[in-house]
Amino acid sequence: MANIPLTRGQFLLPFLGILDEAGAATSSLLERCRLPASLEEKSDLYVPLLPALRFVETAERTQGIDDFSFLAGQRLHFSHLRDKTRALIAHSPTLLVALRHACRWAPREDTILSMWIEHHDDHARICNRLTGARGLRHLEHAQWLQNIFAILIIRQFTGADWMPATIAFEARYTPGPATRSSWPNTRFLSGQRAAWVDLPIAYLSLPNRSHGARPMPCGPEDDLLGYDIVETLKLMLPSYLDARIPALGEVAEMAGVSTRSFQRRLAQSGLTYSDILGTVRYEHASRLLRDTDAKIIDVAFASGYTDPAHFSRAFRRMSGVTPRQFRERARPE
């Protein structure tokens, strides 16, 4: 059976807002491109991607709107992402972990979207591509949104004013003067093998700035209880780090449920027990490295690791740097 690429209706809302403010016949444009005329009422549902791109291009041309997708991108918010994706990012201890979650769940935003991280000498690239869409006309509309979402995720860790040094497009596309003036210190590239934005590789170890204000899921596909368990474990597990850490079955027994039920509850959050334990260990270790003069081997033991080499590998998976590099960057001379 032929596959129909889909995208979430949420991503068309900024375009609809611009058109409505301009007095355009938005419903007629949607119907002409075979999209639901009442899309605003169904924004949490999925719509076919190719008609969505055709709608944006038709509206840009007929309404005389330059760089329509850039203007829509300015209206995007972190809240436009799926509830589960936002919650996973909010629970991520570092930017690197958050970006990995975003890469893993990208196909739930656009069903043919691939997203990955590339490491270069002094910078990383957050790349994206629509599978099978190479050569598709007007691809820049989708790539603007995908790049903007990568930027919005990075800003959860860097702050709202951060801008990438480069924004790249797979499409053959040149932004207009007004768009370039909004990104005065950013260069634009086109005709790349994928769309991407770059950032200094040291930023991957930045801690989460959203603690205490974590967005919680509320859609029908998510279960709040799964996230309640995540919060409970993150409160409980630090007290076990310098002793024997309870196994999954023991934690399930503490919760009064079977191991399988407990795993199922965690699966609803998109996390495993190992994910949560790794986050707790990392947050404890990074605090000791940043705020104390404890030897790295002692930090490893205090964080629940019996093998310093295992600790170093696990820490690097979370932050992109070794414990020693993290301490040097967190406490410059």
Side-chain angles (χ1 to χ4, degrees):
M1 184 173 67
N3 183 38
I4 301 175
L6 302 176
T7 188
R8 291 179 63 236
Q10 282 278 354
F11 300 152
L12 288 178
L13 292 184
F15 295 100
L16 300 184
I18 294 171
L19 291 172
D20 288 342
E21 291 172 12
T26 307
S27 295
S28 297
L29 284 167
L30 287 167
E31 289 180 334
R32 193 200 308 184
C33 296
R34 299 190 177 182
L35 292 171
S38 56
L39 186 58
E40 291 182 357
E41 301 169 10
K42 304 171 183 176
S43 60
D44 285 330
L45 303 180
Y46 288 84
V47 296
L49 174 63
L50 298 185
L53 289 175
R54 191 160 56 247
F55 162 74
V56 173
E57 174 59 25
T58 300
E60 181 179 63
R61 175 170 41 81
T62 60
Q63 303 302 310
I65 304 173
D66 293 332
D67 272 343
F68 194 14
S69 48
F70 159 70
L71 296 175
Q74 289 185 308
R75 299 185 177 211
L76 283 176
H77 301 286
F78 187 61
S79 59
H80 282 104
L81 288 168
R82 291 171 59 250
D83 290 334
K84 180 173 285 187
T85 304
R86 288 189 289 116
L88 287 169
I89 290 169
H91 279 290
S92 298
T94 65
L95 175 56
L96 178 57
V97 174
L99 290 170
R100 285 177 180 157
H101 281 309
C103 292
R104 177 184 176 188
W105 294 101
R108 296 302 298 272
E109 306 291 346
D110 289 311
T111 58
I112 60 170
L113 176 61
S114 297
M115 184 174 172
W116 67 96
I117 306 167
E118 292 183 354
H119 296 262
H120 296 265
D121 290 339
D122 60 351
H123 69 281
R125 292 178 180 176
I126 316 307
C127 306
N128 65 80
R129 180 191 296 130
L130 293 176
T131 303
R134 188 169 184 83
L136 186 69
R137 295 179 62 197
H138 316 307
L139 202 54
E140 69 273 10
H141 297 306
Q143 291 172 352
W144 254 121
L145 301 195
Q146 291 151 12
N147 281 338
I148 289 295
F149 272 120
I151 291 169
L152 291 175
I153 292 169
I154 294 168
R155 285 176 175 173
Q156 300 300 304
F157 294 77
T158 61
D161 296 329
W162 179 83
M163 291 188 177
T166 306
I167 298 178
F169 296 86
E170 184 181 357
R172 296 288 179 181
Y173 161 74
T174 302
T179 300
R180 288 179 175 275
S181 67
S182 296
W183 301 82
N185 299 314
T186 299
R187 66 170 180 159
F188 290 87
L189 299 178
S190 70
Q192 303 293 295
R193 62 181 182 83
W196 50 269
V197 299
D198 62 357
L199 73 160
I201 206 160
Y203 283 22
L204 295 176
S205 61
L206 287 174
N208 207 320
R209 299 166 64 100
S210 65
H211 289 310
R214 291 174 170 150
M216 301 301 286
C218 56
E221 64 175 305
D222 298 304
D223 183 347
L224 283 171
L225 295 177
Y227 293 92
D228 290 343
I229 284 178
V230 173
E231 291 290 354
T232 299
L233 289 175
K234 292 182 77 173
L235 288 172
M236 181 189 81
L237 287 174
S239 62
Y240 289 92
L241 290 181
D242 59 352
R244 191 181 72 83
I245 298 172
L248 174 63
E250 293 173 306
V251 177
E253 184 179 350
M254 295 175 193
V257 298
S258 69
T259 300
R260 173 169 284 191
S261 295
F262 191 73
Q263 287 176 313
R264 194 159 47 239
R265 187 75 60 78
L266 285 177
Q268 291 168 342
S269 74
L271 297 169
T272 66
Y273 182 60
S274 294
D275 291 334
I276 299 165
L277 178 57
T279 293
V280 169
R281 283 170 158 169
Y282 172 80
E283 290 180 341
H284 183 76
S286 60
R287 181 181 60 80
L288 292 178
L289 290 169
R290 186 176 55 248
D291 299 337
T292 76
D293 294 320
K295 295 180 180 179
I296 289 177
I297 190 172
D298 293 331
V299 172
F301 293 149
S303 302
Y305 292 93
T306 56
D307 180 357
H310 182 201
F311 163 63
S312 184
R313 289 193 297 270
F315 193 93
R316 186 163 193 163
R317 279 197 302 272
M318 285 281 191
S319 67
V321 296
T322 65
R324 189 175 305 280
Q325 290 170 327
F326 177 88
R327 171 171 273 173
E328 290 171 353
R329 292 173 180 178
R331 304 166 64 184
E333 296 296 334

